[in-house]
Amino acid sequence: MSALGFGCWAIGGEHQTADGQPVGWGKVDDDESVRAVRRALDLGVTFFDTADSYGTGHSEEILGKALGKRRDDVVLATKWGNVFDADTRTLTGTDATPEYARRALTASLRRLGTDRVDLYQLHISDADPARAAELRDACEEFVGEGLVRAYGWSTDDPARAAVFAEGPHCTAVQHALNVLQDAPELVALCERLELASVNRSPLAMGLLAGRRGGPLEAGDIRSRPPAWLPGYADDGSGADPEWLARIDAVRSLLTSEGRSLAQGALAWLWARSPRTVPIPGFRTVAQAEENAGALAKGPLTAAQSAEIDRLLGR
């Protein structure tokens, strides 16, 4: 598996919660998404992470189409737990039962056009730990049936992540991690248990890719950021000035050795731990090329990482 993965949330397109909150990244061009996935493959990216709820199934369908006959060349990850209405592109709730996990897996396999998922992840970050233990056991059944190769939990709670980690075929925790949002307890857990630290929001929802300010389109989650999405103003005006100031404080270090800001943010993650696998999002071939370009430049040095910590007051 490549040291860099690509997150496929954005290519799912627009979708919303039952109360109208946008949870996608706005409009997408499906043909461009397919070209971007294939360009990433050509540039050495072999890990793709999606979820059944991204675009209420659309991300899985586009990813499956893009991979086509190259399916066996990649590590394919998806998630389950959110319930949705694909016709209205609306998330309608969650279902943490083992029975639903099996139904969701069957549907994901169909949309992805594959016979197995390489990494199957629980997408309910705050699920009850006792119920999660049942879901972990269900994942072991899926492994035994050849439907899943490994599994993990997408959660920012180390105690919950540890519940799944008790399973023999648990190999990963997906959690938020970027230059501005460290997660020392989760990183330590992954190092101790030899799990992959799959890093969502590695570019801080676009801020570490150069997003500065200004209003966003109505279908973009950042235009009406929910409580769990920091870095953007509640009034929809764009980036939080305090976050931009913190980025400016470390910009010169991140852009050293000819890196773009986004490439520097990924380089920081690789320097953070040998277990990290960042999964930046993308919607265009140009974004795929820029993100994949970070692979050739490698991690920041220990001295650079230490200076970033000092500048950010850590």
Side-chain angles (χ1 to χ4, degrees):
M1 185 175 81
S2 55
L4 177 69
F6 269 25
C8 299
W9 178 11
I11 66 172
E14 294 181 284
H15 54 296
Q16 63 185 358
T17 60
D19 61 0
Q21 162 73 48
V23 283
W25 286 62
K27 294 180 174 63
V28 289
D29 178 336
D30 291 341
D31 291 337
E32 179 72 0
S33 297
V34 168
R35 287 191 292 268
V37 169
R38 292 175 179 170
R39 182 63 177 144
L41 278 166
D42 292 340
L43 293 170
V45 176
T46 60
F47 176 45
F48 293 87
D49 174 88
T50 185
D52 59 1
S53 62
Y54 295 163
T56 58
H58 191 65
S59 174
E60 289 184 329
E61 291 174 348
I62 292 299
L63 181 58
K65 176 183 177 181
L67 294 176
K69 294 180 179 178
R70 300 184 68 178
R71 160 66 183 97
D72 291 342
D73 297 339
V74 305
V75 173
L76 186 54
T78 193
K79 311 179 197 74
W80 92 96
N82 290 295
V83 182
F84 51 85
D85 181 337
D87 291 335
T88 61
R89 289 207 166 201
T90 302
L91 303 185
T92 57
T94 60
D95 190 329
T97 64
E99 294 77 16
Y100 180 72
R102 183 173 289 277
R103 294 200 303 273
L105 175 58
T106 300
S108 286
L109 292 171
R110 175 181 52 78
R111 285 188 293 263
L112 288 163
T114 186
D115 61 355
R116 83 278 183 197
V117 169
D118 299 309
L119 177 63
Y120 201 40
Q121 301 158 103
L122 177 59
H123 207 183
I124 309 173
S125 61
D126 59 352
D128 176 76
R131 174 52 61 87
E134 296 178 12
L135 295 173
R136 177 197 65 211
D137 293 343
C139 285
E140 282 294 328
E141 292 181 14
F142 301 154
V143 172
E145 295 168 28
L147 301 174
V148 166
R149 290 182 59 201
Y151 56 84
W153 193 344
S154 179
T155 180
D156 292 320
D157 179 2
R160 283 181 165 84
V163 171
F164 255 45
E166 293 176 9
H169 291 90
C170 179
T171 62
V173 180
Q174 183 168 149
H175 62 94
L177 183 67
N178 59 57
V179 174
L180 305 179
Q181 295 172 281
D182 200 1
E185 289 184 58
L186 277 163
V187 172
L189 176 78
C190 290
E191 290 179 343
R192 185 172 71 253
L193 300 179
E194 298 184 343
L195 303 172
S197 163
V198 179
N199 310 138
R200 54 181 156 76
S201 299
L203 303 181
M205 302 293 282
L207 297 179
L208 287 163
R211 174 82 198 179
R212 295 298 295 181
L216 296 120
E217 62 179 288
D220 190 320
I221 189 172
R222 297 169 296 181
S223 69
R224 289 172 53 194
W228 54 263
L229 197 166
Y232 285 87
D234 294 338
D235 61 6
S237 59
D240 183 331
E242 181 180 337
W243 279 58
L244 294 178
R246 293 168 66 201
I247 292 170
D248 288 339
V250 298
R251 182 181 299 272
S252 63
L253 284 161
L254 294 176
T255 56
S256 60
E257 286 85 48
R259 295 180 176 93
S260 69
L261 181 62
Q263 290 170 346
L266 298 173
W268 179 86
L269 285 162
W270 289 321
R272 178 67 180 81
S273 168
R275 311 302 305 183
T276 54
V277 184
I279 50 168
F282 65 100
R283 279 191 283 186
T284 66
V285 170
Q287 290 170 334
E289 290 175 340
E290 180 179 4
N291 291 340
L295 285 165
K297 299 180 183 298
L300 297 182
T301 66
Q304 288 170 326
S305 294
E307 179 64 7
I308 287 171
D309 281 345
R310 187 189 70 79
L311 290 168
L312 293 177
R314 292 200 286 253

